[in-house]
Structures are given as structure tokens and as C-alpha cells.
Amino acid sequence: MIQMNVQQKKNSITPQEYQQLQSSHDSLRSIIDSTSDLIGAINWKFEFTIFNEAYKKEIYELFGTNLKTGMQVQEVVQHHPEYQDDALALWGNALKGETFTVTRMYNHPEHHLVYYEYTFNPIKNQEGKVVGAVQVVRNQTDKIRAQQKVKDIEEFVQLAELIPQKIWGATPNGNSCYVNHRFLEYTGHIYEELMDYGWTNIVHPDDLATVLKKWNASMKSGKPYEAEYRLRNHQGEYMWHLCRSLPMHDSSGNIVKWMGTATNIHKRKLLEQENKKNISEFEFLIDMIPHIVWKALPNGEVVFYNKKWSEYTGIPQKEGAKGLWKMVPHPDDVEPTLKAWQHSVETGDTYKIEHRIATKDGTYRWVLSHALPLKDAEGKIVMWYGTATDIHDEKTYLEELIWMQKQMQERNKELTKVNIDLDNFVYTASHDLRTPILNLASLLTMLEERIDEKTGQSEQQIIKMMKVSMDRLENTINDLSEIAKLQKEKENQEDLLFQDLYDEVYQDLENNIRKTKANITTDFKVKEIHYPAKHLRSILYNLISNAIKYAHPDRSPDIKIQSWEEEGQVYLSVSDNGLGLDQRQQKKLFQMFTRLHTHVSGTGVGLYMIKRIVENNGGEISVKSAAGKGSTFTVCFS
């Protein structure tokens, strides 16, 4: 529509001129209305003087204004004051005689963002004076969007060539339509060889069926695509890749393209496979060990039991992991078990308890349950790991052992009492027998004095035999008395010199030493010892006298006496080259009234007494001997 006020000029021109002007006006209106461009013009007062229907319609849609002839520019955009300054400035520049083109973006109520290209030209009269301005508007939204898409694609391609990942694109039906340079470098193929479904030639044959199945499912559903599979590189090696793709949609929601990436995860995949193997081996290991193994969440909920659990309790692993372990303990152990576990869960302390659990045959057996918390770097518990070890046999054995120990203690009390009674008997007997034996000895002496020479040879021999027996009986009673004293009397210890005690013993045995031509050497590396003097003298006397008494008939006695210290203990040894003892004899050596060589006199209590002396003072005595070569007696003092 064209609006022009020509009535005012009607009186100043001829009818013929007016007719020509009206014809020109109609022609111009037809041309303006027929064009696809939006055309509008104003005068020097910023009033609209001419515009076509397309321009009027677009003004209404953009600004909500019903455009009329004579309406000023600021009235057109009165509902959108944010555009007013810009509109007046642009029209003002055109009225100043400028010709220019600008582009503006608007939020169209129906089409969202729209782009318009405005071309402004001044309108001049015949004298060249600017009397108005015309605006030609073209909708450039599609063009600009297309340009933006081209720009976006160019930027995407440039980015796709820069990043270290393999980028690919596909059409809605799945045909490959783009790969970046990284993809080509990896595969060693040219661009055309990977288009359409050419990419399937580099997929590992064992993975291809699964890959195509997932790819077809994504294309059908429109959901993102993700798969792990092996791709062959330019060296012929297959490397694991994580491939992902997202669909791109148009404004109607239709898929127009798929864009995806292929990321090399070969090292991670190999590590996962190795970890999976290690986990499998670990699970096999914990199923093989003879212990119940379990784990629990920080809140105490048990989530895993090994195979041993099922074998032991008869409860399936899955059911056990649901917490049925709480039902397994012996009724008497349920409360302390739950109390101990709850304490550990709340405090993080080690869980350790002995309790009974039911086995698959219905019996209860003792187990030791033990658990430790696994903590993160901040000390927060992330998991509990525990074991249950069968200790039933050890537990019952220990209980039996404790019972036996009590029985032995009672028996020892009885034996101690018996020993005391025996010692009392020995002491009493030796004391009570001493007087009649002395009387018999006196009577025998008197009888011997009264026998005259006329008495028969046999009678004299009998009296001599009686005297020998009487002496032996007296020696035995004396030895018993000494044994009784060892049990009852406690000798005071004192600091003694080995050399001094040896000298005393040497004087007592000097006659026997000379008769046997015995050679005695001493080597007292330890000079002094804290010990009862009477007991140390008895030890030296008995060991030296035995070495002389049991000398070998083919050689003189060669006796060596030594003392030394070893690991904080003092030792004394007496070695000889006498008759020696075989293994059978050595077993009987320290028994009371045992005589292993009967060709010499004795009561058989000497070594027994020495053993009692040494042990009563906290020491030990041992012997090393060989028949026909000699013996070494060693005393270890406490």
C-alpha cells in the first residue's frame, strides 16, 4: 500500500501534469508492493510517507505497531524503547545524506532470533537537497544461520584436527562420513577407505558382531552409543578403544548426524584384564585357605563370605552376606558377639572374639573371629575385613590340659606329702637304727676279744663276715642319714674358692692317690663361687674319689678338674681315663643303691646324693662316658 498526499499540489499543477504524476505514483506503488523486500520511507520530519504491505506486516510482528502514514519513527518502536535510540540514529544518518547497510538481530515472537539487513539511502529533490530517506529490509536469518553453520563446521573440523582423540562422524543411517587426521594416522588408511561402512574392516573380527549390534540399536533408538572394542593400527596391531557417539538433531528433533570419538584405552584394558585375573586368583586363594573370610561395610553390614563359609555352616554365600551370621553363634554367645562387633563398628577398634558357631551338621564349634578396618587417607573406614578360624580342637585340648594340670597339681600335693613321709621315715629309721647297730657292733667287738685261739677256723671266719656286714650296714645307715639331711636341712651359701675346697679333698684322699699313683691336674678359670661349702666339698669328694676308685686296671688314673663360665653360668667338670660306662649303665647311674662295678666296695648312694645336692641348689649334673675309655662328669651351677 502506498499513501501520498497529492491533494495539496492539485491546485499548483495542470490536470495533465496531475494525471501523469498519479500514473507514476501508481506504477511506483505496484513495483514496491510486488517486491519481496521490505520497503519504507520517511520525510525529513521522521514521518513515514511510503511503505509496502510486507514492511507494514513485519513492523507489526516485530514491534506490535500498526504502521500508518505520517507516524513518526519513535512511535513505531514505542513498545520497545530498547530499539528507539538505534532506529533514530540510523534514520538520522540517512537523512544526513549517508548511504549504508547494517544488520540487526531481533527476538521474533514466532521465530526466535531473526536477522535483518537494512540498506538506507537518502531521498533528494531536483536541487540535490535531502528531503527524506528510504529503507530496504531483507530477512537474512537463513543466510546468517547457514554462514554460522559453515563457521561452526569449520571450527569443529579445526578443533577435531587439533585434539589427540580420534573423531568420526556418520549419517543418520550409520554410514561413516567423516574421520579426522588422527584417525587416518592411526589406521594408515586414506579418507575414502573409511567412509560408509569401510571402518568395519579395521575392527577386530571377534568384536565386530557385538559392535554392529550396539551401533544398530543406537541408530534405531536414538540413544547415545558406547562400546569397547579393538581397532587395527597401521602396524597391524589391534588396540582397545572406547568409542562413544551422540546424535545431532535439527529443530524438529530429527537426527541429522552422529558425531563420535574413539579413545585408546589399551593400557587401561590390559590393566583391567590383569586386575581381573588377579582378583580371580585372589578369590580362588581365599576360597582355598582353611579359614572363613568375610568383609563388611563401615556400618557393619556383612556383604561377602568366601566359599569356606558355605562349606562350614551349610549356608549359601549369598544368604550369609545378608547378615545371617548373626543367627549362627551359639545362643549363649549371641549377646557378647553382637556387643563386641557393635563396639568395633562404632569405635574402629580391632574386632576379636572367641565364640561358638553352628556347623552344617548342627554341632557348635569354637572359632576365633578377627577383623580389622581398612581406612582411607583421612582415616575414614571404607571396609572391614575379617576371618574366622576354627580353634575348637585347640580350645577343647586346652580345657582338657587345664583339667589335667589341676589333677596333676592334686597328685603332686599327694606325692609331696608321700615324699615328706618317706623322708621322715628315712630320717627316723636311720636315727632309730643307729643305737641298736652301735650296740651290736660293741657286742661283736666284745665277742671277738673273748674268742681264744682254740676257737675253730670257721667260727673266726663267721665273726669276720659278721663284722664286715655290720660295717656295711652302719655305712648304709650313715648314707641314709645324709640323704635325709639333704631334704630337711638348708645350707647357707657363701663365697668359696674352688682351690681351697679341692685342697681339703686332696688331703682326705691323699693315701688313695699315692697308692694308685693318680695324676690330678686342675684348671680353675672361675676361681670363686657362691655355694654351700658342705655341698661343694661333697661334690668334689665323690667325683674325685669315684675317678680313683673306678680306675682302669691297665693304667694309672689321670684326672682333670676344670671350672669355667658360659652364658652367665658356672660349670665344673671332673674327667678320668677309668673304666667308663656303656649306654645301658649310664641310664642307671644316678639311681639310689645302684652299683655298676661290683669289684669295689660301696653303698651305691654317692652319685644319687650328688645329684640331689646339685638339683636342690638349682643346678644340673650330666655325664659323658665310653666303656673302657673313661668318663666326664659336668656340674652346671644355677
Side-chain angles (χ1 to χ4, degrees):
M1 174 182 180
I2 299 175
Q3 299 293 331
M4 179 176 283
N5 190 0
V6 296
Q7 186 63 36
Q8 297 174 355
K9 297 184 179 182
K10 195 173 183 182
N11 297 324
S12 60
I13 59 175
T14 64
Q16 187 177 3
E17 290 175 334
Y18 175 78
Q19 185 67 34
Q20 291 176 349
L21 181 61
Q22 185 67 45
S23 177
S24 298
H25 180 271
D26 292 341
S27 298
L28 178 59
R29 183 180 59 188
S30 297
I31 294 172
I32 292 175
D33 285 337
S34 64
T35 182
S36 61
D37 294 333
L38 284 66
I39 299 175
I42 65 172
N43 59 22
W44 60 277
K45 295 180 181 180
F46 288 86
E47 297 172 338
F48 278 93
T49 58
I50 186 171
F51 48 85
N52 60 3
E53 281 294 330
Y55 189 92
K56 180 180 179 180
K57 181 180 179 183
E58 200 68 22
I59 289 294
Y60 181 78
E61 290 182 356
L62 282 176
F63 306 120
T65 302
N66 187 14
L67 184 61
K68 296 179 180 179
T69 302
M71 184 177 286
Q72 291 187 322
V73 170
Q74 56 266 38
E75 291 182 89
V76 172
V77 292
Q78 61 182 333
H79 302 300
H80 293 273
E82 68 273 17
Y83 298 135
Q84 190 175 87
D85 291 342
D86 185 55
L88 291 173
L90 292 175
W91 282 110
N93 290 336
L95 290 174
K96 291 177 183 178
E98 296 181 16
T99 299
F100 58 94
T101 300
V102 296
T103 302
R104 290 291 185 268
M105 178 184 72
Y106 297 97
N107 287 313
H108 198 284
E110 296 182 4
H111 305 296
H112 306 290
L113 293 179
V114 292
Y115 296 87
Y116 288 102
E117 181 185 82
Y118 296 98
T119 300
F120 289 87
N121 284 287
I123 301 174
K124 298 178 181 181
N125 58 18
Q126 293 179 351
E127 289 80 16
K129 182 180 178 181
V130 176
V131 294
V134 63
Q135 178 190 63
V136 178
V137 184
R138 293 186 176 88
N139 191 326
Q140 300 290 351
T141 302
D142 292 339
K143 177 182 177 181
I144 290 176
R145 285 180 179 175
Q147 290 174 344
Q148 186 62 45
K149 286 183 179 179
V150 171
K151 183 180 178 181
D152 291 342
I153 291 172
E154 289 175 348
E155 291 178 352
F156 169 78
V157 171
Q158 185 178 10
L159 179 62
E161 295 299 333
L162 289 174
I163 63 176
Q165 282 186 303
K166 305 170 188 67
I167 308 296
W168 55 276
T171 60
N173 61 2
N175 289 328
S176 178
C177 62
Y178 169 76
V179 290
N180 68 345
H181 188 65
R182 299 281 182 184
F183 217 121
L184 299 177
E185 283 182 343
Y186 175 82
T187 62
H189 287 275
I190 61 175
Y191 190 89
E192 289 74 16
E193 290 175 334
L194 298 177
M195 294 300 98
D196 295 331
Y197 272 80
W199 58 272
T200 58
N201 294 324
I202 63 171
V203 178
H204 194 286
D206 295 342
D207 303 336
L208 184 58
T210 302
V211 170
L212 291 175
K213 183 178 179 181
K214 287 187 175 182
W215 180 227
N216 289 329
S218 290
M219 286 189 294
K220 184 177 180 180
S221 65
K223 294 181 179 180
Y225 167 74
E226 182 174 317
E228 292 181 2
Y229 50 90
R230 289 160 288 183
L231 295 174
R232 187 178 66 244
N233 63 16
H234 63 279
Q235 295 176 332
E237 299 173 331
Y238 284 96
M239 309 289 283
W240 281 99
H241 284 73
L242 170 62
C243 292
R244 290 172 172 166
S245 182
L246 293 173
M248 299 177 66
H249 301 85
D250 60 15
S251 58
S252 301
N254 299 315
I255 296 175
V256 295
K257 184 177 288 188
W258 290 83
M259 294 305 300
T261 60
T263 306
N264 192 319
I265 59 168
H266 193 70
K267 290 183 179 179
R268 190 200 79 186
K269 194 71 175 181
L270 295 180
L271 184 61
E272 287 178 355
Q273 292 174 348
E274 183 65 24
N275 288 340
K276 186 177 181 180
K277 178 184 176 184
N278 292 338
I279 292 172
S280 178
E281 291 177 353
F282 176 74
E283 290 177 348
F284 177 78
L285 177 62
I286 63 173
D287 282 338
M288 289 296 295
I289 61 176
H291 303 278
I292 295 171
V293 179
W294 53 274
K295 70 177 181 179
L297 299 176
N299 63 1
E301 179 185 356
V302 179
V303 294
F304 170 78
Y305 279 104
N306 69 338
K307 188 177 180 181
K308 185 66 178 178
W309 163 264
S310 299
E311 295 175 353
Y312 195 85
T313 64
I315 300 175
Q317 286 176 271
K318 292 183 178 180
E319 293 186 19
K322 293 177 182 178
L324 291 182
W325 69 277
K326 296 178 181 178
M327 301 172 59
V328 175
H330 189 281
D332 295 342
D333 300 337
V334 170
E335 184 177 351
T337 297
L338 292 177
K339 185 176 180 180
W341 178 232
Q342 187 64 32
H343 171 78
S344 295
V345 171
E346 292 175 356
T347 64
D349 292 342
T350 299
Y351 171 70
K352 192 173 185 179
I353 188 173
E354 293 181 2
H355 56 169
R356 290 158 290 183
I357 65 173
T359 62
K360 61 182 178 182
D361 61 4
T363 61
Y364 286 95
R365 290 182 66 86
W366 283 98
V367 298
L368 170 62
S369 290
H370 187 200
L372 292 172
L374 176 65
K375 300 180 180 180
D376 58 19
E378 298 177 354
K380 184 179 180 181
I381 296 176
V382 295
M383 193 69 70
W384 285 88
Y385 290 93
T387 60
T389 305
D390 189 301
I391 58 169
H392 189 78
D393 294 338
E394 293 84 349
K395 187 82 173 178
T396 53
Y397 174 76
L398 182 61
E399 291 174 350
E400 292 176 0
L401 192 63
I402 293 173
W403 179 84
M404 291 176 63
Q405 189 176 17
K406 290 181 179 179
Q407 295 297 315
M408 289 179 65
Q409 289 174 349
E410 295 296 325
R411 184 62 176 166
N412 285 337
K413 289 180 181 179
E414 295 178 3
L415 291 175
T416 300
K417 183 179 179 182
V418 171
N419 284 336
I420 293 173
D421 292 341
L422 286 173
D423 289 337
N424 290 334
F425 169 76
V426 170
Y427 180 80
T428 302
S430 63
H431 183 271
D432 293 345
L433 288 174
R434 186 177 296 278
T435 300
I437 291 301
L438 290 175
N439 291 335
L440 284 173
S442 298
L443 291 173
L444 186 59
T445 301
M446 291 173 61
L447 180 62
E448 186 178 16
E449 291 175 350
R450 293 184 180 184
I451 291 175
D452 54 23
E453 296 178 356
K454 296 180 180 181
T455 304
Q457 188 95 13
S458 58
E459 287 81 357
Q460 293 181 8
Q461 186 65 30
I462 290 172
I463 290 174
K464 289 181 178 179
M465 292 174 62
M466 289 176 65
K467 188 175 181 179
V468 171
S469 296
M470 189 63 65
D471 291 341
R472 186 176 295 170
L473 180 59
E474 185 176 2
N475 290 336
T476 300
I477 291 173
N478 289 335
D479 289 343
L480 287 173
S481 179
E482 290 299 320
I483 292 172
K485 288 180 181 179
L486 286 174
Q487 189 66 25
K488 287 182 173 292
E489 297 177 359
K490 296 296 182 180
E491 296 291 334
N492 294 325
Q493 295 188 349
E494 53 186 300
D495 293 331
L496 305 173
L497 294 173
F498 279 110
Q499 187 66 46
D500 291 347
L501 270 294
Y502 167 74
D503 291 341
E504 292 180 12
V505 172
Y506 188 88
Q507 290 178 5
D508 293 343
L509 297 173
E510 189 171 5
N511 289 334
N512 288 338
I513 293 172
R514 288 178 180 177
K515 287 180 182 179
T516 59
K517 299 180 181 180
N519 177 44
I520 302 178
T521 58
T522 61
D523 182 15
F524 297 120
K525 290 184 174 64
V526 174
K527 308 296 182 183
E528 190 175 8
I529 187 172
H530 194 70
Y531 210 72
K534 181 180 178 181
H535 290 171
L536 184 58
R537 189 180 186 284
S538 296
I539 293 170
L540 283 169
Y541 184 89
N542 275 278
L543 294 179
I544 296 173
S545 63
N546 282 348
I548 296 172
K549 186 187 300 186
Y550 298 107
H552 197 282
D554 298 334
R555 53 183 178 265
S556 298
D558 187 8
I559 304 169
K560 185 175 183 180
I561 305 170
Q562 301 178 88
S563 69
W564 71 93
E565 185 176 354
E566 184 177 329
E567 296 183 357
Q569 290 183 309
V570 177
Y571 291 83
L572 172 71
S573 69
V574 178
S575 302
D576 63 57
N577 63 341
L579 294 172
L581 302 166
D582 58 27
Q583 292 294 325
R584 181 183 59 83
Q585 291 173 319
Q586 292 179 40
K587 293 179 181 178
K588 302 178 181 180
L589 185 60
F590 295 104
Q591 297 178 6
M592 187 184 293
F593 301 120
T594 299
R595 297 179 63 205
L596 302 177
H597 297 289
T598 59
H599 65 284
V600 295
S601 61
T603 59
V605 296
L607 287 176
Y608 172 79
M609 289 178 58
I610 297 303
K611 189 173 189 298
R612 289 289 296 272
I613 288 172
V614 172
E615 291 179 350
N616 285 351
N617 285 282
E620 294 180 354
I621 184 170
S622 60
V623 63
K624 289 184 178 180
S625 185
K629 294 183 179 181
S631 304
T632 297
F633 288 85
T634 301
V635 177
C636 174
F637 298 99
S638 61

